[in-house]
Amino acid sequence: ENKELKSQLRELEQQVRDADVAVRENEQLRKMLNIKEKNPSYNASDLEMAEVIARSPGEWATTISLDKGSAQGVEVNDLVCTEDGMVGYVSLVTPTYCDVTTVVDINLQAGALITRTREVGIAEGDYALMKEGNLRMSYLDPDSGVVIGDTVETSGRGGVFPKGIMIGTVERIVPEENGISNYAVIKPFVDVEKVTGVFIIKSFRGAD
């Protein structure tokens, strides 16, 4: 009788786990559809759901590993995002998993623009800002009119990353040492230290 009760308990526990998985998958599918609605340059089939399986924070880099790889069509430079915005880009691929260079990593460089003013620049990681969980948007004209609270998104320049993926908000504006331009300190919409479920954009219209 004890064995039978234990067996029933294990079955119930498995059913609860299966139900939790189904709920998470449904939530991810809903988010996928929201991303598609906001970004018409790709289809839902271009998105690959993935989970974070490892984190590698370090003094010079901040990367995460995902449970999808080349077997699912993932390639280097594929952009990784959530419903809220950009997480980073795929920098290493194996058949079963991939590594992602996150938006705060010093190796990040992506064409970006200010949503309100359409001012263009480069979103890039910065060693000092990485410790704050922030990045910078460089090459801003001092007279651009960018203000604290402005949002920043990918510009699509170069065709590597899709246009219109939100990156973060302007926290402060700092003059460059050369006195010719400014840079904005950007707070990412996605906290890369806490994110667990993401989407990999495997293709989009206008890709290089």
Side-chain angles (χ1 to χ4, degrees):
E1 187 178 346
N2 246 349
K3 288 181 180 179
E4 185 176 344
L5 287 172
K6 286 180 180 178
S7 176
Q8 291 175 356
L9 180 60
R10 282 195 297 270
E11 288 179 8
L12 288 172
E13 289 173 342
Q14 185 60 49
Q15 289 175 11
V16 170
R17 286 193 291 270
D18 292 343
D20 287 341
V21 169
V23 168
R24 286 198 300 271
E25 287 181 349
N26 284 336
E27 179 66 12
Q28 287 293 85
L29 287 171
R30 182 191 64 78
K31 291 178 179 179
M32 180 186 290
L33 291 174
N34 285 343
I35 292 173
K36 170 63 183 71
E37 288 176 1
K38 294 177 184 177
N39 300 273
S41 64
Y42 44 84
N43 301 311
S45 59
D46 299 325
L47 303 177
E48 183 73 42
M49 289 190 294
E51 288 191 1
V52 176
I53 56 174
R55 301 180 192 275
S56 303
E59 187 176 3
W60 294 99
T62 302
T63 61
I64 58 177
S65 298
L66 307 178
D67 64 347
K68 299 295 170 63
S70 58
Q72 289 77 37
V74 177
E75 298 179 348
V76 169
N77 288 332
D78 284 350
L79 187 140
V80 178
C81 67
T82 70
E83 185 182 24
D84 297 319
M86 183 175 177
V87 175
Y89 67 93
V90 175
S91 49
L92 182 147
V93 180
T94 76
T96 57
Y97 75 90
C98 66
D99 288 342
V100 175
T101 294
T102 66
V103 290
V104 297
D105 191 284
I106 61 172
N107 291 306
L108 175 88
Q109 278 202 335
L113 58 82
I114 303 293
T115 304
R116 180 178 61 86
T117 66
R118 315 312 283 178
E119 175 81 5
V120 297
I122 301 294
E124 55 187 353
D126 179 277
Y127 177 66
L129 295 176
M130 184 175 70
K131 298 176 181 178
E132 305 174 11
N134 294 335
L135 67 156
R136 62 187 278 167
M137 181 175 175
S138 303
Y139 309 113
L140 294 175
D141 190 304
D143 300 321
S144 64
V146 177
V147 298
I148 293 171
D150 275 343
T151 58
V152 180
E153 61 187 80
T154 56
S155 67
R157 180 182 178 185
V160 178
F161 302 137
K163 181 181 179 181
I165 302 296
M166 303 307 296
I167 299 175
T169 57
V170 175
E171 284 212 328
R172 59 185 186 272
I173 300 165
V174 184
E176 294 277 13
E177 292 182 1
N178 58 24
I180 299 173
S181 61
N182 293 342
Y183 71 86
V185 176
I186 308 301
K187 184 70 175 178
F189 282 119
V190 180
D191 186 342
V192 297
E193 294 184 358
K194 296 180 180 179
V195 67
T196 55
V198 300
F199 300 98
I200 304 169
I201 301 176
K202 298 187 292 185
S203 63
F204 60 95
R205 289 193 296 276
D208 185 359

